[in-house]
């Protein structure tokens, strides 16, 4: 680097180590005991036999009662599960160890050595231009996906690379006796799999005494992630595939396919006792013949803010509000392929249409026989409507007498648009978050303390891994510090979530409890 430029390069290297898929481990253990073809065959025959024994006649054109189906399921499961490997037995543990030591697809172990290489530079024209500030920069990035077919597609030996280039220019100038600073920038980015993106930005900050007013308008974009482009992974409940055309064509996902959300609605209707061939049930199914081609997500953002010192410089306030408009919002959706026609009249025998709709392996079964998956979750865009979000944040800090401080902040974020049950929104942000702090860094010449209360409202979590509700969170943090002047050191004793209120940050993730710590900081050691 120099006084007006820098250039740097770096790399990030993955190593999956002993990481494995838990669900796939269970499936593989079962498969080593009895393969799916045999298990489903035994289950299906016993299920149909139990229905017949209970008096169900499919030729009558009526659905079996919920109680009849529950009884048939219990009997069929019991017959098909005879001899199943049970956790804790030597046979189960041996199978688990073997599965977790072999890579996908035979086992459940990842084999990921992916990496990202980056070089970027920036130049400041401060020595050449004096009437304004002007900076330019550029970057080059390469993603090298090396999962050996365990996460990303096994294409041409799994040698998948993604190249990105970018460049920008930014200028700023202060006017009106340096009270108003204007900044404008323009950036261009190109990913090899998508069209280039040109994004302008303009902002202004007006200062008057201790008050600062700011406003900005900017455009931006988000490229689909490496997984969004190239993932090809069986996670038992579905096969996750990238949104590039290659993967949709590879699995022919639009052949006799229906949205998974509509299939679930159909299943619920049939489960409630409605006939599988009732038009009220089949009318719930939504056929999927195509999805928008995956492309970068675009956003327009307007932000205003205010920051100032008030009350004789004892109160600091910082407020901001934003409003975002997304186009081509990146999302995920799931489709399920049916094994044959499912509507009455689609086949000469109406009852066969019902059998296709309710029996395994069918439209309702996530995974049937290995290699015959019929549920696919893929990345796509919402292209027929704008998706909007807005939010605000305010922070307050008040200096009390005796070096005491009282502060707090509040964050509000809301996805305004309802993108529908067919898509994952991935917003995953609590609508309300707040912190309240009270402390004194110098209660005495040697002692200081700090207390913090944190609150987060409940919110919906949607991701590839899991979807569900994250409950609200209340936690307290505390810290006491003691200054050792002679040693030029500070000893701190504290804790995060000191009452051990166990909570989850994301649905499907681990619970998090208290963290207690002691720290010693050597200060001014070299002064």
């Amino acid at each position: 680097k120099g006084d007006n430029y820098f250039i740097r390069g770096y790399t990030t290297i993955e190593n999956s180590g002993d990481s494995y898929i838990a669900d796939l481990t269970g499936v593989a253990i079962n498969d080593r005991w009895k393969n799916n073809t045999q298990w489903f065959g035994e289950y299906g025959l016993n299920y149909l036999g139990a229905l017949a024994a209970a008096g169900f006649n499919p030729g009558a054109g009526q659905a079996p009662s919920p109680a009849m189906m529950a009884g048939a399921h219990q009997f069929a499961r019991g017959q098909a599960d005879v001899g199943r490997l049970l956790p804790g037995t030597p046979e189960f543990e041996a199978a688990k160890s073997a599965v977790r030591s072999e890579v996908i697809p035979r086992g459940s172990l990842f084999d990921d050595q992916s990496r990202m290489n980056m070089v970027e530079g920036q130049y400041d024209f401060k020595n050449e231009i004096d009437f304004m500030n002007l900076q330019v920069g550029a970057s080059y990035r390469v993603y090298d996906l090396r999962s050996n077919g365990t996460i990303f597609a096994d294409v041409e030996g799994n040698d998948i690379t993604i190249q990105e280039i970018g460049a920008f220019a930014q200028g700023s100038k202060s006017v009106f006796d340096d009270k108003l600073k204007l900044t404008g920038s323009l950036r261009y980015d190109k990913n090899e799999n998508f069209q280039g993106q040109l994004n302008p930005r303009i902002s202004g900050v007006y200062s008057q005494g201790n008050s600062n007013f700011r406003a900005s308008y900017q455009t931006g974009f988000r490229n689909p992630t490496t997984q969004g482009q190239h993932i090809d992974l069986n996670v038992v409940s579905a096969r996750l595939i990238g949104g590039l055309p290659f993967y949709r064509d590879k699995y022919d996902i639009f052949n006799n396919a229906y949205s998974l959300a509509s299939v679930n609605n159909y299943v619920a209707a049939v489960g409630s006792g409605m006939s599988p061939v009732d038009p009220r049930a089949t009318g719930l199914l939504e056929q999927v013949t195509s999805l928008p081609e995956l492309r970068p997500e675009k956003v327009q953002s307007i932000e205003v803010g205010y920051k100032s010192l008030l009350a004789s410089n004892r109160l600091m306030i910082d407020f901001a509000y934003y409003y975002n408009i997304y186009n081509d919002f990146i999302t995920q959706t799931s489709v399920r392929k049916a094994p044959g026609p499912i509507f009455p009249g689609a086949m000469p025998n109406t009852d066969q249409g019902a059998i296709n709709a309710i029996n395994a392996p069918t439209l309702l079964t996530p995974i049937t026989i290995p290699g015959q998956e019929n549920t696919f979750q893929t990345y796509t865009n919402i292209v027929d409507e704008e998706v909007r979000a807005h939010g605000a944040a305010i922070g307050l800090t008040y200096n009390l007498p005796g070096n005491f401080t009282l502060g707090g902040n509040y964050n509000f974020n809301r996805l305004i648009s309802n993108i529908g049950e067919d898509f994952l929104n991935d917003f995953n942000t609590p609508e309300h978050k707040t912190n309240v702090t009270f402390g004194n860094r110098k209660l005495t010449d040697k002692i200081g303390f700090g207390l913090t209360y944190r609150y987060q409202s409940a919110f919906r979590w949607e991701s590839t891994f899991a979807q569900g509700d994250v409950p609200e969170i209340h936690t307290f943090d505390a810290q006491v510090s003691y200054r050792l002047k002679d040693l030029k050191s500070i000893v701190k004793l504290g804790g995060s979530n000191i009452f051990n209120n166990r909570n989850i940050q994301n649905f499907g993730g681990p619970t998090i409890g208290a963290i207690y710590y002691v720290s010693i900081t050597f200060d001014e050691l070299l002064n």
Side-chain angles (χ1 to χ4, degrees):
K1 66 178 182 179
D3 67 337
N4 64 336
Y5 73 91
F6 73 81
I7 184 170
R8 61 188 173 209
Y10 54 91
T11 185
T12 301
I13 301 174
E14 298 280 348
N15 187 336
S16 57
D18 295 327
S19 301
Y20 65 94
I21 301 179
D23 285 355
L24 190 57
T25 301
V27 170
I29 291 172
N30 284 336
D31 195 53
R32 294 190 178 216
W33 158 68
K34 183 185 293 185
N35 66 57
N36 285 350
T37 302
Q38 181 181 351
W39 190 93
F40 274 113
E42 293 178 5
Y43 175 91
L45 289 175
N46 282 284
Y47 182 86
L48 294 175
L51 287 179
F56 172 62
N57 179 12
Q62 295 180 345
S65 68
M68 191 181 294
M69 290 190 292
H73 166 72
Q74 185 176 4
F75 175 78
R77 184 72 189 262
Q79 295 299 308
D81 280 355
V82 172
R84 179 184 294 278
L85 301 181
L86 298 177
T89 63
E91 295 79 9
F92 180 93
E93 296 303 321
K96 181 176 71 172
S97 178
V99 168
R100 287 173 50 179
S101 65
E102 296 188 51
V103 298
I104 299 169
R106 178 169 175 77
S108 60
L109 191 68
F110 290 116
D111 184 13
D112 185 25
Q113 310 294 325
S114 296
R115 60 191 61 192
M116 185 271 288
N117 302 311
M118 176 86 169
V119 60
E120 60 185 354
Q122 181 176 300
Y123 188 86
D124 192 326
F125 286 90
K126 64 181 182 179
N127 297 328
E128 293 84 5
I129 300 176
D130 56 8
F131 70 91
M132 66 176 295
N133 296 320
L134 179 63
Q135 297 175 328
V136 297
S139 63
Y140 174 70
R141 177 181 297 171
V142 178
Y143 296 97
D144 188 2
L145 309 182
R146 304 181 182 184
S147 74
N148 297 302
T150 62
I151 300 177
F152 304 105
D154 191 8
V155 181
E156 298 179 1
N158 201 226
D159 184 17
I160 302 174
T161 61
I162 305 172
Q163 300 183 63
E164 293 181 350
I165 59 171
F168 78 92
Q170 175 176 290
S172 63
K173 184 175 179 60
S174 296
V175 295
F176 300 135
D177 296 327
D178 293 336
K179 291 184 177 181
L180 176 62
K181 182 178 181 180
L182 299 174
T183 303
S185 64
L186 187 65
R187 182 177 179 95
Y188 176 80
D189 291 271
K190 177 72 173 72
N191 179 295
E192 67 172 281
N193 291 323
F194 309 106
Q195 294 182 351
Q197 303 294 319
L198 191 64
N199 293 287
R201 177 181 185 272
I202 186 170
S203 66
V205 177
Y206 181 79
S207 301
Q208 181 67 49
N210 288 333
S211 295
N212 296 274
F213 303 86
R214 60 187 184 273
S216 66
Y217 169 78
Q218 57 187 323
T219 62
F221 75 99
R222 178 168 67 112
N223 276 328
T225 62
T226 54
Q227 291 193 21
Q229 297 177 55
H230 284 289
I231 194 170
D232 189 351
L233 179 63
N234 180 354
V235 293
V236 182
S237 61
R239 175 168 286 274
L240 310 181
I241 61 173
L244 298 179
F246 170 83
Y247 301 100
R248 298 176 179 182
D249 296 341
K250 174 182 178 181
Y251 292 103
D252 189 25
I253 68 171
F254 301 126
N255 182 17
N256 199 24
Y258 299 81
S259 75
L260 183 58
S262 72
V263 171
N264 291 335
N265 292 336
Y266 171 77
V267 171
V270 174
S272 67
M274 191 177 295
S275 169
V277 297
D278 189 317
R280 293 175 297 171
T282 57
L284 297 173
L285 292 166
E286 299 176 3
Q287 192 161 15
V288 180
T289 57
S290 67
L291 289 171
E293 183 176 339
L294 188 63
R295 65 192 74 175
E297 176 182 289
K298 305 179 185 66
V299 63
Q300 302 175 69
S301 181
I302 299 172
E303 183 176 341
V304 294
Y306 172 75
K307 184 176 182 180
S308 182
L309 285 171
L310 306 172
S312 301
N313 295 338
R314 285 185 174 274
L315 175 63
M316 186 184 76
I317 180 173
D318 193 351
F319 170 79
Y321 171 81
Y322 73 88
Y323 189 89
N324 289 350
I325 302 173
Y326 300 91
N327 292 96
D328 298 332
F329 188 81
I330 294 176
T331 182
Q332 298 177 59
T333 191
S334 298
V335 301
R336 180 153 306 165
K337 291 165 62 77
I342 64 171
F343 294 107
M347 302 183 66
N349 185 346
T350 300
D351 293 335
Q352 184 60 50
I355 292 173
N356 272 344
I358 64 173
N359 288 338
T362 69
L363 180 69
L364 311 186
T365 307
I367 298 296
T368 56
I369 302 169
Q372 294 186 1
E373 301 115 322
N374 64 349
T375 304
F376 300 92
Q377 183 165 304
T378 186
Y379 291 77
T380 186
N381 300 83
I382 298 176
V383 299
D384 55 352
E385 63 178 299
E386 295 177 338
V387 175
R388 299 170 183 261
H390 71 152
I394 185 170
L396 300 168
T397 302
Y398 191 80
N399 293 321
L400 298 166
N403 296 318
F404 288 94
T405 60
L406 177 65
N409 60 67
Y410 168 72
N411 285 268
F412 166 80
N413 296 277
R414 176 182 290 173
L415 187 66
I416 302 173
S417 304
N418 180 9
I419 66 175
E421 63 178 356
D422 288 336
F423 302 100
L424 297 179
N425 65 50
D426 285 328
F427 194 65
N428 296 339
T429 303
E431 187 166 307
H432 307 285
K433 292 180 67 175
T434 187
N435 299 334
V436 179
T437 62
F438 177 70
N440 191 326
R441 298 184 62 184
K442 201 171 182 181
L443 183 63
T444 69
D445 193 40
K446 295 182 178 181
I447 299 175
F449 77 95
L451 301 171
T452 303
Y453 164 72
R454 305 181 191 276
Y455 166 75
Q456 174 180 298
S457 62
F459 68 100
R460 180 71 177 176
W461 177 277
E462 296 185 1
S463 69
T464 299
F465 174 68
Q467 299 89 45
D469 296 320
V470 176
E472 65 179 29
I473 299 173
H474 301 265
T475 62
F476 289 88
D477 302 344
Q479 177 186 284
V480 177
S481 62
Y482 186 82
R483 184 178 298 274
L484 303 172
K485 286 189 174 182
D486 293 341
L487 298 178
K488 298 181 179 180
S489 304
I490 299 176
V491 178
K492 296 180 180 179
L493 171 65
S496 174
N497 188 11
I498 59 174
F499 297 118
N500 196 29
N501 178 22
R502 302 197 69 85
N503 58 81
I504 59 172
Q505 301 291 330
N506 61 287
F507 189 78
T511 59
I512 299 173
I515 298 175
Y516 306 107
Y517 60 87
V518 176
S519 71
I520 302 176
T521 303
F522 297 94
D523 193 18
E524 299 182 355
L525 187 63
L526 301 178
N527 290 350

